[in-house]
Amino acid sequence: MYSQAEENYLKTIYALEREYGNEVSTNLIANKIKTKASSVTDMLKKLALKKLVIYKKYQGVYLTEPGRLTALRVIRKHRLWECFLVQKLNFKWDEVHDIAEQLEHVKSELLISKLDAFLRFPKLDPHGDPIPDEQGRIIKRQTMSIVEMKIGASGTLVGVKDSSETFLKYLNKKNLGLGDKVKVIDIEPYDNSYHIETKTHRLVITSNVAENLLIKNVKR
Ligand SMILES: [Zn+2]
């Protein structure tokens, strides 16, 4: 069994590998979890001894198969708990991430498989992210962010890249939620803001916001 800190590192490395597509540098990790590079190095050495990562000084780090599996198990727990909090305890989608950060470290595999069954084996968490199965298999979603869409294109909002409370609160305020049909009406050349339309209203969002919205079934 691994400590919370170790699990959090594995999860962070997994996310960074996915984002950057190759070995992850110590500085990248330090930035992401807001800690000193020297503490990161200490932890990476520890994880390497446990054969969870391959760590080469000055080159960076990547997950071994057991490391990847451990990261995916933590992610699985996190996302199942988020489903539970929203579906069964009526939390809002912007309230669950921090609580799930605590619950994701629960050790009992039996609890998690019962939770999975209780929720009827959900495929996606409340933010639209896929939930890995017990073997660590995870579906890839065919989505694109709004910034990749052309004027006139439309699709369904199925996920968010940024699931922070502030971003989700912002979406609530703008009356945007998962499942909404979204159409790009215009792109403002001056500041790259996006004029978009849903079934109920029109609004303008910054390119930063557009970047963080994931759309499926895009049609031109
Ligand atoms: Zn979360």
Side-chain angles (χ1 to χ4, degrees):
M1 282 298 114
Y2 308 111
S3 72
Q4 279 202 22
E6 289 167 340
E7 290 187 342
N8 285 336
Y9 266 83
L10 294 173
K11 207 175 63 166
T12 303
I13 298 166
Y14 177 82
L16 291 170
E17 275 185 2
R18 295 208 37 163
E19 196 172 336
Y20 294 93
N22 49 15
E23 288 176 16
V24 175
S25 75
T26 311
N27 284 331
L28 212 51
I29 301 171
N31 276 335
K32 185 89 179 179
I33 59 177
K34 298 179 183 71
T35 188
K36 287 179 297 181
S38 60
S39 330
V40 174
T41 307
D42 288 346
M43 178 56 98
L44 294 183
K45 284 180 185 159
K46 242 198 215 174
L47 294 173
L49 277 177
K50 295 189 177 183
K51 304 202 182 336
L52 294 168
V53 302
I54 306 288
Y55 171 58
K56 291 183 218 131
K57 218 175 167 186
Y58 308 118
Q59 284 186 43
V61 66
Y62 59 91
L63 295 172
T64 61
E65 197 46 35
R68 201 181 73 89
L69 208 65
T70 308
L72 282 163
R73 290 222 172 94
V74 178
I75 292 165
R76 169 176 161 79
K77 290 187 237 178
H78 182 105
R79 293 181 179 168
L80 283 173
W81 283 122
E82 286 188 336
C83 289
F84 174 76
L85 292 166
V86 169
Q87 289 172 24
K88 304 294 179 188
L89 302 186
N90 301 320
F91 278 89
K92 308 243 165 46
W93 74 330
D94 56 318
E95 297 172 328
V96 294
H97 181 76
D98 289 348
I99 309 171
E101 289 283 291
Q102 301 172 41
L103 294 169
E104 70 185 14
H105 300 290
V106 147
K107 298 292 177 215
S108 169
E109 292 302 328
L110 180 62
L111 171 63
I112 298 307
S113 66
K114 289 204 170 196
L115 175 65
D116 195 17
F118 179 60
L119 296 168
R120 294 165 193 261
F121 310 102
K123 294 275 172 281
L124 302 173
D125 79 5
H127 309 118
D129 289 319
I131 299 171
D133 70 9
E134 270 172 342
Q135 280 75 44
R137 287 179 299 227
I138 186 165
I139 49 163
K140 278 217 182 77
R141 314 203 70 202
Q142 297 299 325
T143 59
M144 60 170 77
S145 98
I146 289 190
V147 294
E148 297 167 90
M149 289 166 66
K150 297 205 171 72
I151 295 172
S154 63
T156 311
L157 176 61
V158 291
V160 288
K161 271 195 211 170
D162 176 0
S163 52
S164 70
E165 202 182 315
T166 33
F167 186 61
L168 299 175
K169 281 222 161 83
Y170 170 86
L171 296 181
N172 288 345
K173 230 191 286 176
K174 296 284 176 184
N175 205 5
L176 272 177
L178 297 191
D180 288 357
K181 292 260 178 295
V182 175
K183 184 174 183 181
V184 177
I185 302 297
D186 200 8
I187 302 166
E188 179 58 52
Y190 178 64
D191 62 358
N192 280 320
S193 58
Y194 284 73
H195 295 247
I196 61 170
E197 186 183 76
T198 69
K199 272 206 169 126
T200 52
H201 60 302
R202 277 189 176 208
L203 67 160
V204 182
I205 54 175
T206 65
S207 56
N208 181 30
V209 170
E211 167 75 40
N212 282 300
L213 296 175
L214 298 173
I215 310 295
K216 200 182 163 183
N217 298 329
V218 175
K219 289 188 200 82
R220 243 236 73 119

